[in-house]
């Protein structure tokens, strides 16, 4: 019995567009939790919505909220 694990879309184009816009209109482009991405590399997740423990990013990926503080 094999389990198929969903993969994140490697091309996170929509998230990148939103972050680039945020960098133009927000001081530093982020609020404080996202600043850590600069020190570890990569792009921040842009969460579109949440439902219970499920998060949905701007690119259509479904994620689990293990922190239990981002969804409503």
């Amino acid at each position: 019995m094999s389990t198929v694990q969903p993969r994140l879309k490697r091309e996170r184009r929509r998230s990148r567009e939103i972050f680039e816009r945020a960098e133009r209109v927000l001081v530093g482009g982020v609020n404080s939790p996202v600043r850590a991405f600069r020190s570890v590399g990569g792009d921040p997740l842009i969460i579109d919505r949440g439902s219970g423990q499920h998060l949905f990013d701007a690119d259509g990926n479904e994620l689990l909220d293990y922190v239990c503080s981002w969804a409503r």
Side-chain angles (χ1 to χ4, degrees):
M1 179 183 305
S2 71
T3 342
V4 177
Q5 294 184 0
R7 297 180 67 159
L8 287 176
K9 296 178 184 177
R10 294 191 186 273
E11 187 63 36
R12 294 180 43 231
R13 186 172 300 151
R14 182 72 181 130
S15 292
R16 192 168 295 112
E17 289 170 358
I18 293 169
F19 184 60
E20 287 170 359
R21 180 173 184 267
E23 287 181 305
R24 292 191 304 268
V25 298
L26 297 172
V27 177
V30 298
N31 60 16
S32 59
V34 181
R35 288 191 180 101
F37 278 88
R38 289 196 177 128
S39 62
V40 296
D43 295 321
L45 293 172
I46 305 297
I47 303 302
D48 182 50
R49 63 190 171 89
S51 178
Q53 73 273 25
H54 299 277
L55 301 173
F56 301 88
D57 73 7
D59 295 287
N61 296 302
E62 181 176 357
L63 309 158
L64 273 177
D65 179 8
Y66 288 106
V67 179
C68 298
S69 66
W70 290 53
R72 287 182 164 185

